[in-house]
Amino acid sequence: MLRENALSEPVLASWDFLFLGYSTRGIVSYLDIAHIIATQWTVAATGKVPFTGAYTRFALLGHSLGTLGIRQLLCAGVMQPPQMLSALHSVTLFGTPLNGSVFANYGAKLFGGPIADALKPGNPQLRMLRSWNQTVQPLLKWKGVQVVLGTDDEIVGNKYADLVDFAGDSIPTFLVKADHSTLVKPKDWSKSVIRDRILGALQ
C-alpha cells in the first residue's frame, strides 16, 4: 500500500523508498539484520548502483523482528555508516517485540531458523540488546524512537508486562486497534492510523 500510494501523498512523494527483506532462516542474531540495513544505507549515501544519487536524509520504518535489527544498529556505533545519526530523520517501529514473543516457544517451525531463540521472552540476546541500548543511548543520543503497537497483537503481546520501554523511545508508546498483521497491512490506506503514523514520521 505504501508503494502504491507514495506518489499520491505530498509528504510521501518527497521521499524515495527502499524495502528490505530477508529470510528468517538466514538470520542468527539482530546483528545480521543491522548489517543488512547498514550495507544498504552506505550504498544509498554514496550514490552507488542502483541509486542515481547520494542520499543525505534517511528515515527507518520497521516491523516485528526487523525492529530489533534497527535497534541493534542504533546501539552498535562501530557498524553505523559515517554520519548516520546526523542523517537520521526519524525511526518508527511497528509491532516491535519489546519483550520477545510467546510464540517463539514453538521454535523454528513458526519463526524459521535459529532466530526463534532470540525472540523468546527474556532471552539473553534481547536482554543484552536492552542493556546495550540503555548504556549507549545517552552517549549517542539518537532521535526518539516512535513505537506503534497493536492492542490486538497476540504475537508480541499487548499487556503492560509485555511492553518494556527502551531508553530513548518517544513516550508514550502509540497504541492502535490492530493485530500484528494489520499493523503493516491496513484494510483501508486512506483511513488508516498507520498511514497517519508514517506521514508523521516523514514530515
Side-chain angles (χ1 to χ4, degrees):
M1 285 186 170
L2 179 57
R3 183 170 57 242
E4 293 170 356
N5 292 277
L7 295 179
S8 64
E9 302 267 10
V11 173
L12 300 182
S14 66
W15 289 82
D16 292 333
F17 295 89
L18 176 65
F19 298 87
L20 294 178
Y22 48 84
S23 169
T24 54
R25 294 190 180 278
I27 300 297
V28 177
S29 76
Y30 313 142
L31 286 165
D32 297 329
I33 303 173
H35 177 70
I36 293 172
I37 300 169
T39 298
Q40 294 302 318
W41 182 303
T42 299
V43 173
T46 54
K48 295 181 180 178
V49 176
F51 303 102
T52 57
Y55 289 80
T56 59
R57 185 176 60 149
F58 296 80
L60 295 174
L61 305 171
H63 176 249
S64 198
L65 174 59
T67 66
L68 299 180
I70 290 175
R71 287 192 184 278
Q72 182 67 83
L73 183 58
L74 291 176
C75 293
V78 70
M79 295 183 67
Q80 295 175 3
Q83 306 303 314
M84 186 190 103
L85 295 183
S86 62
L88 184 59
H89 178 77
S90 63
V91 179
T92 308
L93 309 180
F94 297 92
T96 180
L98 292 168
N99 195 33
S101 170
V102 294
F103 285 87
N105 292 319
Y106 293 99
K109 287 186 177 180
L110 181 62
F111 284 90
I115 195 61
D117 288 336
L119 284 170
K120 292 179 179 179
N123 74 82
Q125 192 173 157
L126 188 56
R127 296 202 315 270
M128 181 179 69
L129 177 61
R130 187 178 297 119
S131 178
W132 194 345
N133 183 98
Q134 187 173 2
T135 300
V136 303
Q137 195 279 331
L139 301 175
L140 298 182
K141 297 180 179 178
W142 54 78
K143 292 181 173 66
V145 174
Q146 177 65 70
V147 174
V148 182
L149 296 173
T151 56
D152 300 325
D153 191 338
E154 297 182 355
I155 300 297
V156 303
N158 50 28
K159 303 295 189 297
Y160 180 78
D162 299 315
L163 311 183
V164 180
D165 291 328
F166 274 63
D169 285 4
S170 297
I171 303 298
T173 294
F174 196 85
L175 295 175
V176 301
K177 186 169 180 55
D179 58 28
H180 199 64
S181 177
T182 53
L183 276 172
V184 288
K185 298 177 182 177
K187 296 179 180 179
D188 188 337
W189 171 260
S190 62
K191 299 178 181 179
S192 170
V193 177
I194 304 305
R195 165 191 173 274
D196 297 340
R197 290 293 94 197
I198 294 175
L199 291 179
L202 300 181
Q203 285 181 341

